[in-house]
Amino acid sequence: MKLHPVTIVIIALNIIFTLKGLKDTSFFERYKFSIGGIKAGQKERMFTSGFLHVDISHIFFNMFTLYFFANVVIAYMGPLYFVLMYVISLLAGSLLALFFHKNEPYYSAVGASGAVTGILYAAILLEPNMRLGIMFIPIPMPAYVFGIGYLLYSIYGMKKRIGNIGHTAHFGGAIGGYVTTLFFMPNLIFTDTLVVVLMAIPIIVLFVLDKMGKI
């Protein structure tokens, strides 16, 4: 599959900054997402953290996912809107993490997961019936089913603090991709109403649970 030049640039930036961070601990610590650092005025961490990763497998998984879904979004929206969506989803992931972890000064995170999840969620909205498979589940499922299940799992992960994974950033990125897609292509609300409504359910559930003090 041939990648658009803009996707290649994003992947290259992630690789360059990740390798720099892996070699230079002070660089990594200075630009990672950190509640304490952000509250001290280093707001740029909300953006720069999206280009750092903890190891090679972390960046590989994120860029591999981007490789599969970037072309779907670019085909519908063009490269400029794709880049805007990537950045908005990255920041949305950081904002949601800040919202849920604001009282945890030592909370930190890195990775392009929020941005990539935003692109993934946008691709699902644009092509809801494409088939996606998951490891250990041999039968591909409709993309929108995968998307809903993924966000419900993210809520569970946020609640139970499962693994060393930024579930909050994933969810925030998905919200960014969802909202941005509908903002750029509002006709989807009328042409794919059921899918749009179904994919909004996990987002509503998250904020209802938060209001109830369940997360």
Side-chain angles (χ1 to χ4, degrees):
M1 180 170 60
K2 186 176 180 180
L3 287 177
H4 191 281
V6 75
T7 308
I8 295 172
V9 169
I10 289 174
I11 292 174
L13 288 173
N14 273 278
I15 292 172
I16 290 168
F17 281 97
T18 292
L19 292 178
K20 170 67 174 173
L22 293 176
K23 292 179 181 178
D24 186 343
T25 304
S26 62
F27 180 87
F28 184 91
E29 292 296 322
R30 173 59 184 83
Y31 293 107
K32 71 180 182 181
F33 180 94
S34 163
I35 296 294
I38 292 167
K39 284 190 171 182
Q42 297 169 349
K43 301 293 192 297
E44 69 278 3
R45 289 175 180 265
M46 298 181 69
F47 178 75
T48 57
S49 59
F51 293 90
L52 296 170
H53 294 80
V54 294
D55 54 34
I56 298 301
S57 62
H58 186 200
I59 188 173
F60 174 79
F61 182 78
N62 277 332
M63 297 303 101
F64 190 64
T65 305
L66 185 65
Y67 168 81
F68 274 109
F69 296 101
N71 280 354
V72 176
V73 178
I74 292 172
Y76 277 89
M77 296 187 171
L80 176 59
Y81 284 158
F82 168 77
V83 172
L84 283 172
M85 180 176 294
Y86 187 93
V87 172
I88 289 169
S89 298
L90 190 164
L91 293 175
S94 292
L95 284 169
L96 197 69
L98 182 62
F99 175 77
F100 276 99
H101 301 286
K102 58 182 177 292
N103 296 321
E104 303 171 43
Y106 297 107
Y107 180 88
S108 64
V110 293
S113 301
V116 172
T117 305
I119 297 300
L120 167 63
Y121 222 62
I124 292 172
L125 271 175
L126 296 166
E127 290 283 353
N129 291 314
M130 64 179 169
R131 312 294 286 188
L132 298 179
I134 308 176
M135 285 187 298
F136 312 120
I137 301 178
I139 303 173
M141 65 185 74
Y144 70 91
V145 174
F146 172 86
I148 294 166
Y150 181 80
L151 285 198
L152 291 174
Y153 171 75
S154 293
I155 293 174
Y156 179 75
M158 290 166 64
K159 185 175 176 62
K160 298 294 185 180
R161 300 294 180 100
I162 295 175
N164 189 26
I165 299 171
H167 295 287
T168 317
H170 293 187
F171 204 106
I175 293 174
Y178 178 86
V179 173
T180 307
T181 301
L182 295 181
F183 181 79
F184 290 153
M185 298 187 66
N187 60 297
L188 291 173
I189 297 171
F190 306 102
T191 59
D192 290 289
T193 306
L194 180 60
V195 170
V196 170
V197 171
L198 288 174
M199 292 181 70
I201 290 174
I203 299 172
I204 295 168
V205 168
L206 174 68
F207 287 102
V208 168
L209 289 175
D210 178 60
K211 276 289 186 183
M212 296 171 63
K214 301 290 187 180
I215 293 184

CSV table of all heavy atoms in Angstrom, one decimal, residues 190-213:
chain,number,residue,atom,x,y,z
A,190,PHE,N,-26.6,12.2,8.5
A,190,PHE,CA,-27.9,11.9,7.8
A,190,PHE,C,-27.7,10.6,7.0
A,190,PHE,O,-28.7,9.8,6.8
A,190,PHE,CB,-28.3,13.0,6.9
A,190,PHE,CG,-28.4,14.3,7.6
A,190,PHE,CD1,-27.4,15.3,7.5
A,190,PHE,CD2,-29.5,14.6,8.4
A,190,PHE,CE1,-27.5,16.5,8.2
A,190,PHE,CE2,-29.6,15.8,9.1
A,190,PHE,CZ,-28.6,16.8,9.0
A,191,THR,N,-26.5,10.3,6.4
A,191,THR,CA,-26.3,9.2,5.6
A,191,THR,C,-26.0,7.9,6.4
A,191,THR,O,-26.3,6.8,6.0
A,191,THR,CB,-25.2,9.4,4.6
A,191,THR,OG1,-23.9,9.7,5.3
A,191,THR,CG2,-25.5,10.6,3.6
A,192,ASP,N,-25.4,8.1,7.6
A,192,ASP,CA,-25.0,6.9,8.4
A,192,ASP,C,-25.5,7.2,9.9
A,192,ASP,O,-24.7,7.0,10.8
A,192,ASP,CB,-23.5,6.7,8.4
A,192,ASP,CG,-23.1,6.1,7.0
A,192,ASP,OD1,-23.4,5.0,6.7
A,192,ASP,OD2,-22.4,6.9,6.3
A,193,THR,N,-26.7,7.6,10.0
A,193,THR,CA,-27.2,8.0,11.3
A,193,THR,C,-27.0,7.0,12.4
A,193,THR,O,-26.6,7.3,13.5
A,193,THR,CB,-28.7,8.4,11.2
A,193,THR,OG1,-28.9,9.4,10.2
A,193,THR,CG2,-29.2,9.0,12.5
A,194,LEU,N,-27.4,5.7,12.1
A,194,LEU,CA,-27.3,4.7,13.1
A,194,LEU,C,-25.9,4.5,13.6
A,194,LEU,O,-25.7,4.4,14.8
A,194,LEU,CB,-27.9,3.4,12.6
A,194,LEU,CG,-27.9,2.2,13.5
A,194,LEU,CD1,-28.7,2.5,14.8
A,194,LEU,CD2,-28.4,0.9,12.8
A,195,VAL,N,-25.0,4.4,12.7
A,195,VAL,CA,-23.5,4.2,13.1
A,195,VAL,C,-23.1,5.4,13.9
A,195,VAL,O,-22.4,5.2,14.9
A,195,VAL,CB,-22.7,4.1,11.8
A,195,VAL,CG1,-21.2,4.1,12.2
A,195,VAL,CG2,-23.0,2.7,11.2
A,196,VAL,N,-23.4,6.6,13.5
A,196,VAL,CA,-23.0,7.8,14.2
A,196,VAL,C,-23.5,7.8,15.7
A,196,VAL,O,-22.8,8.1,16.6
A,196,VAL,CB,-23.5,9.1,13.5
A,196,VAL,CG1,-23.3,10.3,14.4
A,196,VAL,CG2,-22.7,9.3,12.2
A,197,VAL,N,-24.8,7.4,15.8
A,197,VAL,CA,-25.4,7.3,17.2
A,197,VAL,C,-24.8,6.2,18.0
A,197,VAL,O,-24.4,6.4,19.2
A,197,VAL,CB,-26.9,7.1,17.0
A,197,VAL,CG1,-27.5,6.8,18.4
A,197,VAL,CG2,-27.6,8.3,16.4
A,198,LEU,N,-24.6,5.0,17.4
A,198,LEU,CA,-24.0,3.9,18.1
A,198,LEU,C,-22.6,4.2,18.6
A,198,LEU,O,-22.2,3.9,19.7
A,198,LEU,CB,-24.0,2.7,17.2
A,198,LEU,CG,-25.3,2.0,16.9
A,198,LEU,CD1,-25.2,0.9,15.9
A,198,LEU,CD2,-26.0,1.5,18.2
A,199,MET,N,-21.8,4.9,17.7
A,199,MET,CA,-20.4,5.2,18.1
A,199,MET,C,-20.3,6.3,19.1
A,199,MET,O,-19.3,6.5,19.8
A,199,MET,CB,-19.6,5.5,16.9
A,199,MET,CG,-19.4,4.3,16.0
A,199,MET,SD,-18.4,4.6,14.5
A,199,MET,CE,-16.8,4.8,15.2
A,200,ALA,N,-21.4,7.0,19.3
A,200,ALA,CA,-21.4,8.1,20.4
A,200,ALA,C,-21.8,7.5,21.8
A,200,ALA,O,-21.5,8.1,22.8
A,200,ALA,CB,-22.5,9.1,20.0
A,201,ILE,N,-22.3,6.3,21.8
A,201,ILE,CA,-22.8,5.7,23.1
A,201,ILE,C,-21.6,5.6,24.1
A,201,ILE,O,-21.8,6.0,25.2
A,201,ILE,CB,-23.5,4.3,22.8
A,201,ILE,CG1,-24.8,4.6,22.1
A,201,ILE,CG2,-23.7,3.6,24.1
A,201,ILE,CD1,-25.5,3.3,21.7
A,202,PRO,N,-20.4,5.0,23.7
A,202,PRO,CA,-19.4,4.9,24.7
A,202,PRO,C,-18.9,6.3,25.2
A,202,PRO,O,-18.6,6.4,26.4
A,202,PRO,CB,-18.2,4.2,23.9
A,202,PRO,CG,-18.9,3.5,22.8
A,202,PRO,CD,-20.1,4.4,22.4
A,203,ILE,N,-19.0,7.3,24.4
A,203,ILE,CA,-18.6,8.6,24.8
A,203,ILE,C,-19.5,9.1,25.9
A,203,ILE,O,-19.1,9.7,26.9
A,203,ILE,CB,-18.5,9.6,23.6
A,203,ILE,CG1,-17.5,9.1,22.6
A,203,ILE,CG2,-18.2,11.0,24.1
A,203,ILE,CD1,-17.5,9.9,21.3
A,204,ILE,N,-20.8,8.9,25.6
A,204,ILE,CA,-21.9,9.4,26.6
A,204,ILE,C,-21.7,8.6,27.9
A,204,ILE,O,-21.8,9.1,29.0
A,204,ILE,CB,-23.3,9.2,26.0
A,204,ILE,CG1,-23.5,10.1,24.8
A,204,ILE,CG2,-24.3,9.4,27.0
A,204,ILE,CD1,-24.7,9.7,23.9
A,205,VAL,N,-21.5,7.3,27.8
A,205,VAL,CA,-21.3,6.4,28.9
A,205,VAL,C,-20.2,6.9,29.8
A,205,VAL,O,-20.3,7.0,31.0
A,205,VAL,CB,-21.1,4.9,28.5
A,205,VAL,CG1,-20.6,4.1,29.7
A,205,VAL,CG2,-22.3,4.3,27.9
A,206,LEU,N,-19.0,7.3,29.2
A,206,LEU,CA,-17.9,7.7,29.9
A,206,LEU,C,-18.2,8.9,30.8
A,206,LEU,O,-17.9,9.0,32.0
A,206,LEU,CB,-16.7,8.1,29.0
A,206,LEU,CG,-15.5,8.7,29.7
A,206,LEU,CD1,-14.8,7.7,30.5
A,206,LEU,CD2,-14.6,9.3,28.6
A,207,PHE,N,-18.9,9.9,30.2
A,207,PHE,CA,-19.1,11.1,31.0
A,207,PHE,C,-20.3,11.0,32.0
A,207,PHE,O,-20.3,11.6,33.0
A,207,PHE,CB,-19.4,12.3,30.0
A,207,PHE,CG,-18.2,12.8,29.3
A,207,PHE,CD1,-17.9,12.4,28.0
A,207,PHE,CD2,-17.2,13.5,30.0
A,207,PHE,CE1,-16.7,12.8,27.4
A,207,PHE,CE2,-16.1,13.9,29.4
A,207,PHE,CZ,-15.8,13.6,28.1
A,208,VAL,N,-21.2,10.0,31.7
A,208,VAL,CA,-22.2,9.7,32.7
A,208,VAL,C,-21.6,9.0,33.9
A,208,VAL,O,-21.8,9.4,35.1
A,208,VAL,CB,-23.3,8.8,32.1
A,208,VAL,CG1,-24.2,8.2,33.2
A,208,VAL,CG2,-24.1,9.6,31.1
A,209,LEU,N,-20.7,8.1,33.7
A,209,LEU,CA,-20.0,7.4,34.8
A,209,LEU,C,-19.1,8.4,35.6
A,209,LEU,O,-19.0,8.3,36.8
A,209,LEU,CB,-19.1,6.3,34.2
A,209,LEU,CG,-19.8,5.1,33.7
A,209,LEU,CD1,-18.8,4.1,33.0
A,209,LEU,CD2,-20.6,4.4,34.8
A,210,ASP,N,-18.5,9.3,34.9
A,210,ASP,CA,-17.7,10.4,35.6
A,210,ASP,C,-18.6,11.2,36.5
A,210,ASP,O,-18.2,11.5,37.6
A,210,ASP,CB,-17.0,11.3,34.5
A,210,ASP,CG,-16.2,12.4,35.2
A,210,ASP,OD1,-15.3,12.0,36.0
A,210,ASP,OD2,-16.5,13.5,35.0
A,211,LYS,N,-19.8,11.6,36.0
A,211,LYS,CA,-20.7,12.4,36.8
A,211,LYS,C,-21.2,11.6,38.0
A,211,LYS,O,-21.4,12.2,39.1
A,211,LYS,CB,-21.9,12.8,35.9
A,211,LYS,CG,-21.7,14.0,35.0
A,211,LYS,CD,-21.7,15.3,35.9
A,211,LYS,CE,-21.6,16.5,35.1
A,211,LYS,NZ,-21.5,17.7,35.9
A,212,MET,N,-21.3,10.3,37.8
A,212,MET,CA,-21.7,9.5,38.9
A,212,MET,C,-20.6,9.1,39.9
A,212,MET,O,-20.8,8.5,40.9
A,212,MET,CB,-22.4,8.2,38.4
A,212,MET,CG,-23.6,8.4,37.5
A,212,MET,SD,-24.2,6.9,36.7
A,212,MET,CE,-24.5,5.8,38.1
A,213,GLY,N,-19.4,9.5,39.5
A,213,GLY,CA,-18.2,9.2,40.4
A,213,GLY,C,-17.8,7.8,40.3
A,213,GLY,O,-17.1,7.3,41.2
